[in-house]
């Protein structure tokens, strides 16, 4: 039954910090999270860092009546950590694993093992197809010297491309997750400019939560204070973004965050604060008047010049990332060279016994040298191949950005020349015609 | 200018077999391919196995006037091998690298290094947005004992999901490439049933080419006869698939293949035959009458029961693949165990010199043992991690297939109960409503 009253939709997002045996009070916090979700009955809950499938299954079991529809996205060595719990039926799911995601040898950072990705679930909601995305981008370990910036920009690009190209038939689009970027960081601007997604924090009619919408705050029991420097008060890196379609307008009526401590509980839900957005879905005039049943693709309303500027900025970062990676690949070559030298030395010791006649070399030394030689050679070869794939990814991203730039440039000139009726300057609106 | 006359579109696809220094007559064949494309002036040429960027640049240079718009998709260690040459402007490109693609230690097969993927370019053509996909799936090395079947089924699933979810706003959809599957193979049926794409070979009004549309034939100078056993006459593994939209009907007027030899040339273009499809684009009645300017998402017209059957078949293959991979992971564990035993032996030799007192062990032996120990340990650990990611991918694919099955089941029961006006039983066509 069509209605004039707006439908309401509550969306929840939380980075659960669920590293078994490493994250503090993990099991107790999952109990608290399950209790919260069961009580609050959000329409959709988007969770990140649910690293263990056992914890996902615990939540699934606890939420079987409040959120009977779930999907747990599996990728990488230990998983993507992404999970969706929904009151409404999930019709389909799709996963896109980011092509660049840190280095396997950075064990202390560990992002590489997580197989970071963006997951899409298509949810039947109020007779609409809602495209709901959940994601978690690579962490920023040092703002001053951020070696992962190109990785995060590649991920932002892949995320926006994935959202743009898979949300065409959507009745509405929701993206939630830990973007690991401040609101005005390049990647964030890139995503907003090229998808047309709007930030619930800036759009919300009312807000109740931490100052400036921070989701990583000093007042959180689990937060390491040094992670916040130089933003002592906190940072905002978790988001719920949204947009409607030609069929439905989406408005954010309210946004709230947790504020560190939880009433009657000894500790917070996570080291991140959770977000809850209340969205109102209003049938658009177009839809009412013309009874449009399927939604149509709509271009973003962000000015083309702004889109171009942000792509140019991103291209510069990708080019710098390419140089960095070429240096790393050269170092891998040096490692292979070192391994080969060591191998030569070992062969010389084997075939020129005079070298060892002094008895200076024990069995242990030679065994150790053999082992080291193989480690160096194998590591060098693997790293060389690894950086070769990184270079391919960076070049592909740069090529795609270049295509987009060129297209936007054409759009801009076409728009300024033709003063067409199409307000967004889209080239697709030419009539279907035969070319000779 | 809208017209009643159908617009014509010529699409070309060829697996170029472009392995520098390994494929026979590679440089000469690229000369021939460039000459062919320049002469034939297809609207879009989809190439696979252009492994070297130098060869792509050679083609790009040669075709700068006939096909000024190009994209070369970069992924994996040596690239995806996929390239698109277009007479019409490429507006955007997107790449999806398949999650499962063979094993890095199968050097003789080498698929893993290629970073197999599906590439999408959005081409402005006759005022329409054509979504053009090019892909190359994992090869089948033995039909009787096909250890890569689960890989190819995962790739087919990812391909169909990518096409379904990114083609929603398309005016028409074209997919070309080397699917490495016979026409009635499971993966092929899966793709056709779930995307609604139609095979140009079966749809073409006229056909001129090898018997049964074969693209790998015994008469080709470069084909190894043993690759064709037990299909001595040839096999059809290269395809051009297509579908229209609510705006445009697409019909295949003719399809042709090369037939091995090339007039006035000493050898064929490749070890595969090329395909050329001539498509007619006819403005649909809907579009003429209502002036629909954007295309809408359309479900496939394949019966739901057929879609369900083929997904069930695919799920069985994925489950078998999961068992196989778990066995491989167990073997990797054994390798780690073996490495640890060897390490113990070496430590015993170092700290219990009596073991070596007989002088049976030379420096060479001990150095060699140390090296072997490290190779075994490292390989075991890497393989364990590698198979862990495979298991994640297989489980994710199975979960997605299960979701699709459930959705199709609901669609089927809904359709049989409601006898709704919607001919495809889609659930999305309910009115936008508020749920209490």
């Amino acid at each position: 039954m069509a209605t004039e009253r707006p439908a309401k939709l509550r969306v929840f997002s939380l980075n659960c910090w669920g590293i078994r045996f490493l994250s503090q009070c993990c099991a107790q916090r999952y109990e608290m999270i399950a209790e919260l979700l069961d009580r609050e009955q959000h329409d959709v809950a988007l969770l990140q860092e649910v690293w263990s499938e056992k914890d996902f299954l615990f939540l699934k079991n606890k939420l079987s009546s409040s959120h009977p529809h779930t999907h747990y996205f599996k990728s990488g060595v230990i998983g993507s950590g992404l999970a969706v719990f929904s009151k409404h039926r999930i019709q389909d799911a799709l996963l896109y694993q980011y092509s660049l995601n840190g280095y396997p040898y950075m064990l202390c950072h560990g992002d590489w093992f997580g197989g970071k990705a963006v997951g899409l679930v298509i949810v039947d909601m109020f007779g609409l197809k809602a495209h709901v995305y959940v994601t978690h981008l690579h962490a920023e370990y040092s703002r001053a010297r951020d070696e992962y910036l190109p990785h995060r920009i590649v991920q932002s690009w892949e995320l926006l491309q994935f959202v743009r190209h898979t949300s065409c038939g959507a009745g509405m689009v929701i993206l939630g997750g830990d973007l690991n970027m401040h609101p005005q960081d390049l990647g964030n601007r890139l995503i907003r400019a090229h998808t047309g997604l709007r930030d619930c924090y800036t759009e919300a009619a009312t807000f109740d939560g931490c100052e400036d919408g921070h989701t990583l705050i000093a007042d959180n029991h689990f937060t390491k204070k040094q992670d916040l420097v130089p933003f002592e008060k906190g940072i905002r890196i978790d988001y719920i973004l949204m947009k409607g379609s030609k069929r439905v307008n989406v408005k954010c009526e309210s946004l709230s965050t947790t504020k560190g401590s939880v009433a009657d509980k000894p500790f917070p839900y996570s080291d991140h604060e959770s977000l809850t957005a209340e969205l109102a879905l209003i049938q658009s005039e177009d839809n009412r008047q013309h009874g449009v049943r399927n939604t149509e693709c709509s271009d973003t309303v962000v000015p083309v010049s702004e889109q171009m500027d942000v792509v140019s900025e991103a291209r510069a970062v990708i080019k710098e990332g390419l140089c960095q990676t070429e240096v790393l690949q050269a170092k891998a070559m040096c490692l292979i060279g070192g391994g080969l030298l060591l191998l030569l030395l070992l062969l010389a010791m084997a075939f020129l016994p005079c070298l060892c006649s002094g008895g200076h070399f024990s069995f242990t030394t030679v065994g150790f040298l053999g082992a080291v030689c193989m480690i160096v050679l194998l590591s060098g070869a693997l790293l060389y191949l690894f950086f070769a794939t990184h270079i391919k990814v960076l070049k592909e991203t740069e090529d795609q950005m270049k295509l987009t730039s060129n297209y936007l440039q054409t759009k801009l000139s076409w728009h300024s020349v033709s003063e067409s009726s199409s307000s967004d300057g889209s080239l697709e609106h030419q009539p279907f015609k035969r070319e000779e």
Side-chain angles (χ1 to χ4, degrees), chain A residues 154-172:
Chain A
V154 167
Q155 293 186 346
S156 303
W157 181 258
E158 292 184 338
L159 172 59
L160 77 86
Q161 285 279 70
F162 184 73
V163 171
R164 277 178 61 213
H165 290 288
T166 56
S167 64
C168 216
M172 68 178 137

PDB file of all heavy atoms in Angstrom, chain A residues 154-172:
ATOM      1  N   VAL A 154      43.710   3.737  -3.327  1.00  0.00           N
ATOM      2  CA  VAL A 154      43.274   2.674  -4.255  1.00  0.00           C
ATOM      3  C   VAL A 154      41.983   2.050  -3.730  1.00  0.00           C
ATOM      4  O   VAL A 154      41.018   1.840  -4.481  1.00  0.00           O
ATOM      5  CB  VAL A 154      44.369   1.588  -4.429  1.00  0.00           C
ATOM      6  CG1 VAL A 154      43.804   0.347  -5.111  1.00  0.00           C
ATOM      7  CG2 VAL A 154      45.538   2.126  -5.233  1.00  0.00           C
ATOM      8  N   GLN A 155      41.943   1.773  -2.424  1.00  0.00           N
ATOM      9  CA  GLN A 155      40.731   1.165  -1.838  1.00  0.00           C
ATOM     10  C   GLN A 155      39.529   2.103  -1.978  1.00  0.00           C
ATOM     11  O   GLN A 155      38.422   1.660  -2.298  1.00  0.00           O
ATOM     12  CB  GLN A 155      40.974   0.830  -0.364  1.00  0.00           C
ATOM     13  CG  GLN A 155      42.016  -0.273  -0.178  1.00  0.00           C
ATOM     14  CD  GLN A 155      42.169  -0.726   1.266  1.00  0.00           C
ATOM     15  OE1 GLN A 155      41.701  -0.075   2.189  1.00  0.00           O
ATOM     16  NE2 GLN A 155      42.839  -1.849   1.463  1.00  0.00           N
ATOM     17  N   SER A 156      39.750   3.400  -1.742  1.00  0.00           N
ATOM     18  CA  SER A 156      38.648   4.370  -1.879  1.00  0.00           C
ATOM     19  C   SER A 156      38.141   4.382  -3.312  1.00  0.00           C
ATOM     20  O   SER A 156      36.936   4.437  -3.564  1.00  0.00           O
ATOM     21  CB  SER A 156      39.110   5.776  -1.502  1.00  0.00           C
ATOM     22  OG  SER A 156      39.613   5.799  -0.205  1.00  0.00           O
ATOM     23  N   TRP A 157      39.090   4.333  -4.265  1.00  0.00           N
ATOM     24  CA  TRP A 157      38.709   4.335  -5.678  1.00  0.00           C
ATOM     25  C   TRP A 157      37.912   3.083  -6.026  1.00  0.00           C
ATOM     26  O   TRP A 157      36.864   3.142  -6.666  1.00  0.00           O
ATOM     27  CB  TRP A 157      39.958   4.453  -6.568  1.00  0.00           C
ATOM     28  CG  TRP A 157      39.606   4.479  -8.023  1.00  0.00           C
ATOM     29  CD1 TRP A 157      39.712   3.455  -8.914  1.00  0.00           C
ATOM     30  CD2 TRP A 157      39.033   5.578  -8.744  1.00  0.00           C
ATOM     31  NE1 TRP A 157      39.259   3.840 -10.142  1.00  0.00           N
ATOM     32  CE2 TRP A 157      38.833   5.143 -10.064  1.00  0.00           C
ATOM     33  CE3 TRP A 157      38.675   6.875  -8.399  1.00  0.00           C
ATOM     34  CZ2 TRP A 157      38.293   5.955 -11.053  1.00  0.00           C
ATOM     35  CZ3 TRP A 157      38.135   7.700  -9.381  1.00  0.00           C
ATOM     36  CH2 TRP A 157      37.948   7.242 -10.689  1.00  0.00           C
ATOM     37  N   GLU A 158      38.435   1.922  -5.576  1.00  0.00           N
ATOM     38  CA  GLU A 158      37.737   0.667  -5.878  1.00  0.00           C
ATOM     39  C   GLU A 158      36.364   0.653  -5.210  1.00  0.00           C
ATOM     40  O   GLU A 158      35.394   0.160  -5.789  1.00  0.00           O
ATOM     41  CB  GLU A 158      38.589  -0.531  -5.438  1.00  0.00           C
ATOM     42  CG  GLU A 158      39.841  -0.668  -6.300  1.00  0.00           C
ATOM     43  CD  GLU A 158      40.700  -1.879  -6.004  1.00  0.00           C
ATOM     44  OE1 GLU A 158      40.605  -2.428  -4.887  1.00  0.00           O
ATOM     45  OE2 GLU A 158      41.486  -2.280  -6.866  1.00  0.00           O
ATOM     46  N   LEU A 159      36.284   1.209  -4.005  1.00  0.00           N
ATOM     47  CA  LEU A 159      35.005   1.276  -3.298  1.00  0.00           C
ATOM     48  C   LEU A 159      34.005   2.135  -4.075  1.00  0.00           C
ATOM     49  O   LEU A 159      32.869   1.726  -4.315  1.00  0.00           O
ATOM     50  CB  LEU A 159      35.227   1.854  -1.889  1.00  0.00           C
ATOM     51  CG  LEU A 159      33.980   2.187  -1.067  1.00  0.00           C
ATOM     52  CD1 LEU A 159      33.122   0.945  -0.854  1.00  0.00           C
ATOM     53  CD2 LEU A 159      34.359   2.780   0.287  1.00  0.00           C
ATOM     54  N   LEU A 160      34.446   3.325  -4.500  1.00  0.00           N
ATOM     55  CA  LEU A 160      33.504   4.206  -5.197  1.00  0.00           C
ATOM     56  C   LEU A 160      33.104   3.639  -6.557  1.00  0.00           C
ATOM     57  O   LEU A 160      31.941   3.749  -6.976  1.00  0.00           O
ATOM     58  CB  LEU A 160      34.063   5.634  -5.314  1.00  0.00           C
ATOM     59  CG  LEU A 160      35.145   5.966  -6.355  1.00  0.00           C
ATOM     60  CD1 LEU A 160      34.536   6.298  -7.706  1.00  0.00           C
ATOM     61  CD2 LEU A 160      35.961   7.131  -5.868  1.00  0.00           C
ATOM     62  N   GLN A 161      34.061   2.989  -7.230  1.00  0.00           N
ATOM     63  CA  GLN A 161      33.739   2.372  -8.522  1.00  0.00           C
ATOM     64  C   GLN A 161      32.732   1.231  -8.324  1.00  0.00           C
ATOM     65  O   GLN A 161      31.775   1.084  -9.082  1.00  0.00           O
ATOM     66  CB  GLN A 161      35.007   1.804  -9.186  1.00  0.00           C
ATOM     67  CG  GLN A 161      35.924   2.844  -9.796  1.00  0.00           C
ATOM     68  CD  GLN A 161      35.431   3.293 -11.172  1.00  0.00           C
ATOM     69  OE1 GLN A 161      34.418   3.963 -11.297  1.00  0.00           O
ATOM     70  NE2 GLN A 161      36.142   2.932 -12.214  1.00  0.00           N
ATOM     71  N   PHE A 162      32.964   0.442  -7.285  1.00  0.00           N
ATOM     72  CA  PHE A 162      32.070  -0.684  -6.998  1.00  0.00           C
ATOM     73  C   PHE A 162      30.666  -0.165  -6.671  1.00  0.00           C
ATOM     74  O   PHE A 162      29.671  -0.670  -7.191  1.00  0.00           O
ATOM     75  CB  PHE A 162      32.645  -1.498  -5.833  1.00  0.00           C
ATOM     76  CG  PHE A 162      31.869  -2.746  -5.511  1.00  0.00           C
ATOM     77  CD1 PHE A 162      31.928  -3.850  -6.350  1.00  0.00           C
ATOM     78  CD2 PHE A 162      31.080  -2.832  -4.377  1.00  0.00           C
ATOM     79  CE1 PHE A 162      31.210  -5.002  -6.060  1.00  0.00           C
ATOM     80  CE2 PHE A 162      30.364  -3.978  -4.074  1.00  0.00           C
ATOM     81  CZ  PHE A 162      30.437  -5.065  -4.916  1.00  0.00           C
ATOM     82  N   VAL A 163      30.595   0.869  -5.822  1.00  0.00           N
ATOM     83  CA  VAL A 163      29.290   1.414  -5.433  1.00  0.00           C
ATOM     84  C   VAL A 163      28.589   2.022  -6.656  1.00  0.00           C
ATOM     85  O   VAL A 163      27.422   1.743  -6.923  1.00  0.00           O
ATOM     86  CB  VAL A 163      29.438   2.465  -4.307  1.00  0.00           C
ATOM     87  CG1 VAL A 163      28.115   3.177  -4.056  1.00  0.00           C
ATOM     88  CG2 VAL A 163      29.928   1.810  -3.026  1.00  0.00           C
ATOM     89  N   ARG A 164      29.322   2.837  -7.425  1.00  0.00           N
ATOM     90  CA  ARG A 164      28.721   3.495  -8.594  1.00  0.00           C
ATOM     91  C   ARG A 164      28.147   2.471  -9.565  1.00  0.00           C
ATOM     92  O   ARG A 164      27.049   2.643 -10.088  1.00  0.00           O
ATOM     93  CB  ARG A 164      29.790   4.297  -9.355  1.00  0.00           C
ATOM     94  CG  ARG A 164      30.057   5.669  -8.802  1.00  0.00           C
ATOM     95  CD  ARG A 164      31.144   6.324  -9.609  1.00  0.00           C
ATOM     96  NE  ARG A 164      30.752   6.480 -10.997  1.00  0.00           N
ATOM     97  CZ  ARG A 164      31.574   6.425 -12.040  1.00  0.00           C
ATOM     98  NH1 ARG A 164      32.856   6.209 -11.855  1.00  0.00           N
ATOM     99  NH2 ARG A 164      31.139   6.581 -13.262  1.00  0.00           N
ATOM    100  N   HIS A 165      28.932   1.424  -9.817  1.00  0.00           N
ATOM    101  CA  HIS A 165      28.537   0.506 -10.881  1.00  0.00           C
ATOM    102  C   HIS A 165      27.567  -0.576 -10.425  1.00  0.00           C
ATOM    103  O   HIS A 165      27.004  -1.281 -11.259  1.00  0.00           O
ATOM    104  CB  HIS A 165      29.774  -0.120 -11.525  1.00  0.00           C
ATOM    105  CG  HIS A 165      30.556   0.867 -12.330  1.00  0.00           C
ATOM    106  ND1 HIS A 165      30.106   1.349 -13.528  1.00  0.00           N
ATOM    107  CD2 HIS A 165      31.729   1.507 -12.078  1.00  0.00           C
ATOM    108  CE1 HIS A 165      30.982   2.222 -13.999  1.00  0.00           C
ATOM    109  NE2 HIS A 165      31.966   2.338 -13.140  1.00  0.00           N
ATOM    110  N   THR A 166      27.412  -0.765  -9.116  1.00  0.00           N
ATOM    111  CA  THR A 166      26.490  -1.820  -8.670  1.00  0.00           C
ATOM    112  C   THR A 166      25.217  -1.244  -8.054  1.00  0.00           C
ATOM    113  O   THR A 166      24.358  -2.003  -7.616  1.00  0.00           O
ATOM    114  CB  THR A 166      27.146  -2.755  -7.620  1.00  0.00           C
ATOM    115  OG1 THR A 166      27.600  -1.944  -6.530  1.00  0.00           O
ATOM    116  CG2 THR A 166      28.309  -3.536  -8.196  1.00  0.00           C
ATOM    117  N   SER A 167      25.098   0.073  -8.003  1.00  0.00           N
ATOM    118  CA  SER A 167      23.940   0.639  -7.294  1.00  0.00           C
ATOM    119  C   SER A 167      22.926   1.246  -8.255  1.00  0.00           C
ATOM    120  O   SER A 167      22.005   1.942  -7.846  1.00  0.00           O
ATOM    121  CB  SER A 167      24.407   1.690  -6.295  1.00  0.00           C
ATOM    122  OG  SER A 167      25.013   2.772  -6.969  1.00  0.00           O
ATOM    123  N   CYS A 168      23.123   0.948  -9.539  1.00  0.00           N
ATOM    124  CA  CYS A 168      22.311   1.600 -10.554  1.00  0.00           C
ATOM    125  C   CYS A 168      20.815   1.312 -10.407  1.00  0.00           C
ATOM    126  O   CYS A 168      19.993   2.196 -10.579  1.00  0.00           O
ATOM    127  CB  CYS A 168      22.798   1.140 -11.914  1.00  0.00           C
ATOM    128  SG  CYS A 168      22.714   2.435 -13.099  1.00  0.00           S
ATOM    129  N   GLY A 169      20.481   0.070 -10.055  1.00  0.00           N
ATOM    130  CA  GLY A 169      19.066  -0.269  -9.972  1.00  0.00           C
ATOM    131  C   GLY A 169      18.503  -0.150  -8.565  1.00  0.00           C
ATOM    132  O   GLY A 169      17.398  -0.611  -8.302  1.00  0.00           O
ATOM    133  N   ALA A 170      19.272   0.455  -7.666  1.00  0.00           N
ATOM    134  CA  ALA A 170      18.871   0.469  -6.255  1.00  0.00           C
ATOM    135  C   ALA A 170      17.769   1.476  -5.976  1.00  0.00           C
ATOM    136  O   ALA A 170      17.732   2.555  -6.565  1.00  0.00           O
ATOM    137  CB  ALA A 170      20.078   0.799  -5.387  1.00  0.00           C
ATOM    138  N   GLY A 171      16.870   1.110  -5.049  1.00  0.00           N
ATOM    139  CA  GLY A 171      15.876   2.048  -4.565  1.00  0.00           C
ATOM    140  C   GLY A 171      16.502   3.051  -3.618  1.00  0.00           C
ATOM    141  O   GLY A 171      16.108   4.210  -3.548  1.00  0.00           O
ATOM    142  N   MET A 172      17.483   2.588  -2.855  1.00  0.00           N
ATOM    143  CA  MET A 172      18.290   3.494  -2.032  1.00  0.00           C
ATOM    144  C   MET A 172      19.623   2.813  -1.756  1.00  0.00           C
ATOM    145  O   MET A 172      19.758   1.591  -1.914  1.00  0.00           O
ATOM    146  CB  MET A 172      17.583   3.815  -0.713  1.00  0.00           C
ATOM    147  CG  MET A 172      17.494   2.629   0.209  1.00  0.00           C
ATOM    148  SD  MET A 172      16.711   3.059   1.750  1.00  0.00           S
ATOM    149  CE  MET A 172      15.645   1.642   1.949  1.00  0.00           C
TER     150      MET A 172
END
